Amino acid sequence: MSTLQPVRGTHDLLPSEHRKHFWVTETARNLAAAYGFGEIATPILEFKEVFKRTLGDVSDIVTKEMYEIADRGDENIVLRPEGTAGVARAVISNGLTQSLPLKYFYAGPMFRYERPQKGRMRQLHQIGVELFGVADPVGDVEVIALAFEILKALKLENRVILEINSLGDEESRKSFRTNLVTYLKDHHQHLSSDSQLRFDRNPLRILDTKDEGDKKILKGAPLLEDCLNAHSKDIFAKVQEGLRLLQIPFKVNPHLVRGLDYYCHVAFEFTTTDLGTQGTVIAGGRYDGLMEMMGGPPTPGVGWAGGIDRLAMMMSEETLPPLKRPLAIIPMDDAFDMAGLNLAQTLRQHGFVVEMTYGGGLGKRLKKATKMNARHVLILGEEEVSSETVALKDLDTGEQIQLSQKEIKNFLQEKGFS
């Protein structure tokens, strides 16, 4: 047996698992289209500057987690660690800011160098939406509503909790920053080395720390809600009003934050207790400062990203649509394989799912058909091939009849098996 294995932090999506991934993606894609979101696909490779500008020099993603490519042209190329910055870059690169509002859905792999664990891989898969050009809270409510509808369609709405918080506007965050710095000065020597570095460059990033010691210190830190001005409170109230109107349950979590400068006002997460420590399955918020930070015109934006891997892990086979049971072709002898293949091809062209049973006698091939979960088998022997007929056997009832090959399609369609 070969000793070759997948790269650490990646894994193969075999058909049963891929089916869940596909269903998550297709469900999200179809619902996003119903909300008017067009699908966009950005390159997996981006210039490092795309993320360095937006995520910052001292963020964990930029300093520790990005995969950099040794490009022959000495360009600083990275594998994308998240989707929002790439979509915003695409809007600017293609001169689309003249056509606001813009609504985009995306799906695909992201890459982060992290310690692999349940629900956290180095190649992860995400769905996401971005809404550019809408400053009104109705935009926040709409993207949250889309996320909730996706979770409902996946039958996961009762296993998640929507948590929301307000990050306020720039004035509110400036006031909060002052209070936070004052508080953290007394704890500076006990902060992790990463947080001490962030303290001087951007103390709000300390709120995103993964260090347990930092988290204990932050439990006594001032809260953003105490620094919100009237404008920020009004926006937060309108978002909550919209969620209640659409009957989307939520709870306010005053500790929910985003450490990046371009985030403002509402931040939200759908969380679950089903996946241990990796409990966030969809997360997002408003990022009105992102486009300007990337060199584009000031443009309001709001969106979210969801973990396909984590959502798929929460799903059971019973929540997936049933697979169409195939027809199985059983040639009585290898000499009739080509005749069977020809019949299979004809039936496939009429929309039937048809499997060939390769090799062996009748008994062995019937076992293969049963393992395929076939409903009917089409048996071809010397007599059937010469007379252009087929023996059609129902594996559920054991009933077997002889049909002309030209009659099979109509017979099965009349029985509702197309």
Side-chain angles (χ1 to χ4, degrees):
M1 179 180 290
S2 172
T3 59
L4 289 176
Q5 297 293 324
V7 173
R8 187 167 185 259
T10 69
H11 71 290
D12 303 306
L13 290 176
L14 301 179
S16 60
E17 187 176 359
H18 189 276
R19 186 165 167 248
K20 293 181 180 179
H21 276 236
F22 177 82
W23 184 242
V24 170
T25 305
E26 280 299 287
T27 299
R29 176 178 284 121
N30 292 334
L31 282 168
Y35 277 66
F37 286 80
E39 186 162 2
I40 188 172
T42 61
I44 289 174
L45 294 174
E46 291 275 6
F47 288 114
K48 184 177 181 180
E49 190 68 17
V50 170
F51 303 103
K52 189 175 179 181
R53 280 196 194 186
T54 56
L55 301 177
D57 291 337
V58 295
S59 70
D60 281 351
I61 292 178
V62 170
T63 59
K64 301 176 182 178
E65 298 173 2
M66 280 204 303
Y67 280 94
E68 298 193 36
I69 306 297
D71 184 73
R72 293 182 179 179
D74 294 325
E75 300 281 8
N76 290 322
I77 305 291
V78 298
L79 297 176
R80 63 184 184 194
E82 56 91 29
T84 301
V87 175
R89 192 271 312 146
V91 170
I92 296 171
S93 300
N94 292 281
L96 301 176
T97 54
Q98 304 300 316
S99 305
L100 300 174
L102 298 168
K103 303 168 78 172
Y104 294 118
F105 165 82
Y106 65 84
M110 311 294 164
F111 303 85
R112 296 186 188 182
Y113 188 87
E114 299 183 282
R115 183 171 66 85
Q117 53 188 291
K118 181 180 179 181
R120 185 185 289 272
M121 301 295 288
R122 290 177 176 176
Q123 177 176 318
L124 55 145
H125 303 84
Q126 289 186 344
I127 49 174
V129 298
E130 315 295 349
L131 171 58
F132 298 104
V134 178
D136 193 280
V138 70
D140 303 67
V141 177
E142 184 174 36
V143 298
I144 294 173
L146 171 55
F148 187 63
E149 287 301 309
I150 292 169
L151 291 166
K152 283 173 63 178
L154 297 175
K155 299 180 174 59
L156 298 176
E157 76 275 16
N158 294 323
R159 296 167 61 189
V160 298
I161 296 173
L162 170 61
E163 301 180 7
I164 65 171
N165 193 27
S166 174
L167 309 180
D169 58 11
E170 186 176 355
E171 179 186 59
S172 300
R173 290 195 306 283
K174 186 176 180 181
S175 174
F176 173 65
R177 184 183 188 279
T178 300
N179 291 352
L180 182 64
V181 168
T182 300
Y183 171 80
L184 290 176
K185 276 183 180 178
D186 296 332
H187 302 275
H188 188 273
Q189 62 180 335
H190 301 295
L191 292 171
S192 66
S193 56
D194 284 344
S195 290
Q196 288 181 7
L197 179 63
R198 291 171 177 175
F199 182 87
D200 296 322
R201 297 192 182 185
N202 187 341
L204 293 185
R205 291 186 187 273
I206 297 175
L207 300 172
D208 279 339
T209 183
K210 296 181 178 70
D211 184 87
E212 292 302 320
D214 291 346
K215 290 179 180 179
K216 289 180 181 179
I217 293 172
L218 290 172
K219 284 183 179 179
L223 297 174
L224 256 167
E225 63 182 347
D226 298 327
C227 301
L228 296 180
N229 56 24
H231 175 63
S232 297
K233 289 180 179 178
D234 180 58
I235 288 178
F236 194 39
K238 287 181 178 177
V239 171
Q240 294 179 68
E241 178 186 352
L243 294 175
R244 293 190 187 99
L245 177 66
L246 300 183
Q247 299 181 21
I248 300 174
F250 67 91
K251 75 173 185 178
V252 176
N253 177 0
H255 298 284
L256 177 60
V257 294
R258 297 284 184 268
L260 301 174
D261 292 340
Y262 56 78
Y263 277 104
C264 61
H265 297 300
V266 176
F268 57 90
E269 293 183 357
F270 286 91
T271 62
T272 181
T273 58
D274 290 4
L275 300 176
T277 58
Q278 307 305 321
T280 301
V281 294
I282 293 177
R286 178 162 285 279
Y287 46 80
D288 290 351
L290 174 62
M291 199 72 78
E292 189 173 7
M293 185 177 287
M294 297 186 72
T299 307
V302 61
W304 54 257
I308 298 174
D309 308 86
R310 296 181 185 179
L311 291 168
M313 287 169 64
M314 294 176 67
M315 296 171 61
S316 64
E317 288 290 332
E318 291 71 28
T319 62
L320 298 173
L323 289 171
K324 186 180 285 189
R325 297 179 67 181
L327 301 170
I329 303 292
I330 299 184
M332 294 284 285
D333 187 275
D334 292 348
F336 307 127
D337 279 350
M338 286 301 176
L341 182 62
N342 185 50
L343 177 59
Q345 193 73 350
T346 300
L347 291 170
R348 288 167 182 156
Q349 290 169 353
H350 288 288
F352 293 94
V353 177
V354 186
E355 288 258 26
M356 291 291 293
T357 56
Y358 304 108
L362 177 61
K364 188 175 182 179
R365 293 197 190 217
L366 279 170
K367 288 181 180 179
K368 291 178 180 179
T370 301
K371 190 174 182 180
M372 294 171 184
N373 194 32
R375 172 65 191 273
H376 293 91
V377 294
L378 305 176
I379 303 171
L380 288 168
E382 183 176 359
E383 180 182 340
E384 283 79 16
V385 171
S386 62
S387 62
E388 295 187 353
T389 60
V390 67
L392 176 69
K393 183 172 184 176
D394 187 324
L395 293 184
D396 288 355
T397 65
E399 180 184 357
Q400 181 170 319
I401 59 174
Q402 203 80 5
L403 287 172
S404 161
Q405 292 186 20
K406 294 180 180 179
E407 297 175 333
I408 298 171
K409 175 179 72 72
N410 292 335
F411 176 84
L412 292 171
Q413 287 176 340
E414 288 171 4
K415 295 290 185 179
F417 297 122
S418 60

